[in-house]
Amino acid sequence: MLADLLITNAHVLTQDPAHPRAGTLVIHGGRILAVDPDMDVPARTVFDAEGLTVVPGFNDVHSHSVWFGLGLMETALGDARSLEDVYAAIGAASAELAPDDWVVASGFSPLLLGGAQPDRDRLDEASGGRPVWIKHSSGHACTLNGAALDLVAGTQDLAAGIDGGVVVHGEDGRPTGLLEENAMRLVQELMLPYPLETIEKALELATAHYLTEGITSVTDAGIAGGWIGHSPREFGAYQSARDKGLLSVRMQPMLVLDALRPLSGHSDDGGGLGLDAGIRSGLGDEWLRIGPVKIFSDGSLLGSTAYMSEDYVGCTHNHGYLQMDAGELREQALAAYRAGWPIAMHAIGDAAVEHAISIITEAQETYGLNCFPNRIEHGGVVQPEQLDRIAEAGIVLVPQPHFITEFGDGMAELLGPARTELSYPAAGLLRRGAVLPGSSDRPVSNGRPLDVMQSFVERLTPSGRTYGPEERISAEQALAAYTTGSAAATGTSAEKGSLSPGLLADLVFLDQDPTTVHPSRIGATQVLGTMVGGELRYAHPDLPSFPNTAEDSR
């Protein structure tokens, strides 16, 4: 048999304990055919890797691709380090718009500005009276200017209470423009849904960018509903993007709980929450597959709305809140699980984590295991005994260590020393035998996997302080998190995660071995090429000349 591709002279970190290092890979039909074969294997194409390090494709199990892709089309505020920077960016964007157009900006982080929030009146001036919608990087708040607030007030009562959200008012009684959590729906009702073509374009931009970072698989943590969705038909945009060749990496989108509804059917079927026709998690193939149901329990650590068992430091009587009544949260989560939807519950504060553990363990004990592992997203503060129960129940905790690199000083100030030691655990999970995946929560944080791996290892804040040093892990463990760990977290270990015979030929060419360099140099590792299903989809100019498969096969 003539194989499709033979990769030689490589330093392969297979992530397969049975054969951890190799020099040769044989690829055929989009999968690994052999690793270090005992005999010569004829191949249509031969690639001399010239000693480059080869690792399995990186798998980010908690990202937001549409949100990220839209951000690439919106006014970027991620580099703003003062309110004047914000006003200047809004002014520059406004100069290119019609008088009635909205100025939509993203990536704003109050923590990077010492908690400062834009002034609604200054935003009016900067935008020339155009409505302004600033999306915070946390995803749990947004800021409007006066013009936008006036448009919202035309259809909504800004003084009315909102379950699981707040319209912030100043001492003068006027709304400041800051909308927290579910209050963001007020502006979204004016601006959403996005056209499906816009969502497809966002996916095209996002997934093309992923390839440059070695990402070959992504789980999008929440689409099609709630304040995190962009259209009730959002999954259809993923399908169309795939059909049109715009989806460059493998995707596992999670539908949010709001997108599910009560199911009818025979009384023996058990009812529950789901999609029409009984469509549920697991439908799809290795390119596009419906993931668990995403459920929000609490808010954001960055916005001091995550639900803690104790108050935030310096914030008397504020320990965050749940986004829905605890009893309703449990009832809806169990109803979805009963209908075949594994749970992925957003829980950042330790009080929210407690609710998540209780609900997931009850679901598993009552209805058994589902098609994918149940998950707790984030874990901003997790008590040691909670880690014990998470590991015992086989729940996957999905932390984002790069939050420490970007926001660690602000988070430590809000949490205090004791809770900082319990924040975004990693080593504690591995010590207990639990799964540790790799994830970023992009665009809340930088999603480049090699940078996140460095954060796993160093856990240093922007000021250079060590954040929970007992939770540091090795570079080898960080690489495993983004490969085998992520595959286990997404229930796809039989398909990917290691470079083993029979598994998908998703792999990355690197200019150095990130497991042997100094921890401070892990992020300096360059991605020189990314292969998905045996096809080279990204090539850096420094990648050794890759043979043209089409020419070789003629």
Side-chain angles (χ1 to χ4, degrees):
M1 184 185 72
L2 192 65
D4 290 335
L5 175 65
L6 175 66
I7 299 175
T8 64
N9 192 22
H11 174 56
V12 186
L13 306 179
T14 67
Q15 303 304 294
D16 181 352
H19 196 147
R21 281 171 173 74
T24 302
L25 294 175
V26 183
I27 295 172
H28 188 72
R31 294 181 178 267
I32 304 295
L33 180 64
V35 179
D36 282 346
D38 294 332
M39 62 185 73
D40 290 338
V41 178
R44 187 172 292 109
T45 303
V46 178
F47 174 57
D48 182 350
E50 298 183 10
L52 293 180
T53 295
V54 178
V55 299
F58 302 136
N59 184 348
D60 188 331
V61 304
H62 187 119
S63 190
H64 302 280
S65 298
V66 176
W67 179 6
F68 174 58
L70 289 171
L72 297 176
M73 296 185 274
E74 297 167 346
T75 300
L77 297 179
D79 293 331
R81 292 299 179 266
S82 71
L83 291 179
E84 293 303 321
D85 290 344
V86 173
Y87 303 139
I90 297 300
S94 300
E96 301 178 5
L97 300 175
D100 294 331
D101 285 348
W102 279 72
V103 183
V104 182
S106 57
F108 174 67
S109 176
L111 266 185
L112 299 179
L113 278 66
Q117 298 283 351
D119 178 77
R120 56 176 283 180
D121 298 324
R122 290 290 306 278
L123 288 173
D124 283 338
E125 295 173 9
S127 69
R130 296 171 181 82
V132 175
W133 179 19
I134 297 176
K135 304 174 184 179
H136 291 207
S137 63
S138 70
H140 291 262
C142 68
T143 297
L144 306 181
N145 67 341
L149 286 167
D150 289 342
L151 292 174
V152 172
T155 59
Q156 305 284 344
D157 181 3
L158 295 178
I162 297 175
D163 290 338
V166 176
V167 176
V168 177
H169 286 69
E171 294 181 358
D172 59 2
R174 288 201 312 165
T176 65
L178 178 61
L179 308 182
E180 294 180 352
E181 306 298 346
N182 284 333
M184 292 187 294
R185 296 175 190 256
L186 299 178
V187 64
Q188 289 176 327
E189 289 179 5
L190 291 179
M191 303 297 288
L192 301 182
Y194 282 105
L196 293 184
E197 286 189 3
T198 300
I199 298 174
E200 292 169 24
K201 180 63 175 178
L203 287 169
E204 179 185 20
L205 292 173
T207 58
H209 182 91
Y210 293 159
L211 292 175
T212 68
E213 299 175 344
I215 297 172
T216 58
S217 292
V218 170
T219 295
D220 276 351
I223 68 167
W227 53 262
I228 202 168
H230 300 91
S231 167
R233 300 171 61 183
E234 196 164 6
F235 187 75
Y238 281 77
Q239 290 183 283
S240 295
R242 180 192 172 180
D243 292 344
K244 296 175 182 178
L246 306 179
L247 210 60
S248 300
V249 305
R250 307 183 194 279
M251 304 295 295
Q252 188 191 68
M254 299 178 181
L255 274 68
V256 298
L257 182 65
D258 293 16
L260 308 186
R261 53 188 175 186
L263 293 173
S264 59
H266 193 278
S267 58
D268 290 348
D269 296 335
L273 294 175
L275 300 177
D276 289 345
I279 293 171
R280 58 177 174 81
S281 295
L283 180 66
D285 59 19
E286 68 267 16
W287 276 101
L288 181 61
R289 181 176 287 132
I290 298 177
V293 61
K294 173 70 177 294
I295 303 174
F296 286 93
S297 68
D298 68 343
S300 162
L301 178 52
L302 304 180
S304 303
T305 56
Y307 188 38
M308 301 287 178
S309 59
E310 298 178 0
D311 289 345
Y312 290 97
V313 175
C315 303
T316 307
H317 305 305
N318 175 29
H319 54 90
Y321 48 83
L322 291 175
Q323 291 196 8
M324 69 172 74
D325 174 78
E328 182 182 0
L329 176 67
R330 170 186 170 275
E331 181 180 344
Q332 292 197 22
L334 292 177
Y337 192 83
R338 185 166 66 246
W341 292 85
I343 293 169
M345 188 169 292
H346 168 114
I348 293 181
D350 59 337
V353 170
E354 186 62 31
H355 280 285
I357 296 172
S358 175
I359 290 168
I360 292 173
T361 53
E362 180 180 358
Q364 293 181 169
E365 291 169 0
T366 304
Y367 304 109
L369 296 178
N370 239 320
C371 60
F372 300 136
N374 292 301
R375 303 167 36 156
I376 296 175
E377 310 301 308
H378 307 302
V381 174
V382 188
Q383 301 293 335
E385 63 88 16
Q386 291 177 327
L387 284 177
D388 293 339
R389 291 157 56 208
I390 286 169
E392 182 180 355
I395 300 169
V396 177
L397 183 69
V398 184
Q400 289 75 43
H402 206 68
F403 284 179
I404 296 167
T405 305
E406 295 193 18
F407 315 116
D409 292 315
M411 294 192 304
E413 185 176 345
L414 287 168
L415 295 177
R419 284 185 294 189
T420 297
E421 298 299 314
L422 308 175
S423 182
Y424 296 106
L429 289 167
L430 295 178
R431 285 194 295 269
R432 291 167 171 82
V435 171
L436 175 65
S439 76
S440 66
D441 201 14
R442 174 185 259 156
V444 177
S445 177
N446 170 20
R448 184 173 182 268
L450 286 155
D451 293 338
V452 182
M453 289 181 208
Q454 183 169 324
S455 296
F456 261 132
V457 176
E458 291 191 312
R459 295 181 69 95
L460 295 177
T461 71
S463 68
R465 296 164 56 191
T466 304
Y467 188 106
E470 294 302 314
E471 293 299 333
R472 285 172 164 165
I473 60 175
S474 69
E476 290 85 355
Q477 290 169 326
L479 176 59
Y482 258 101
T483 53
T484 54
S486 288
T490 54
T492 56
S493 294
E495 296 178 340
K496 56 191 171 187
S498 68
L499 298 176
S500 308
L503 271 60
L504 294 166
D506 298 349
L507 53 89
V508 185
F509 297 96
L510 304 175
D511 71 341
Q512 64 180 7
D513 182 345
T515 68
T516 60
V517 299
H518 189 274
S520 65
R521 297 288 300 163
I522 294 173
T525 305
Q526 292 298 309
V527 172
L528 299 185
T530 303
M531 185 172 284
V532 187
E535 178 186 346
L536 187 66
R537 293 190 167 225
Y538 166 72
H540 186 279
D542 292 339
L543 181 72
S545 179
F546 201 91
N548 187 307
T549 303
E551 291 181 357
D552 290 351
S553 62
R554 281 199 292 265

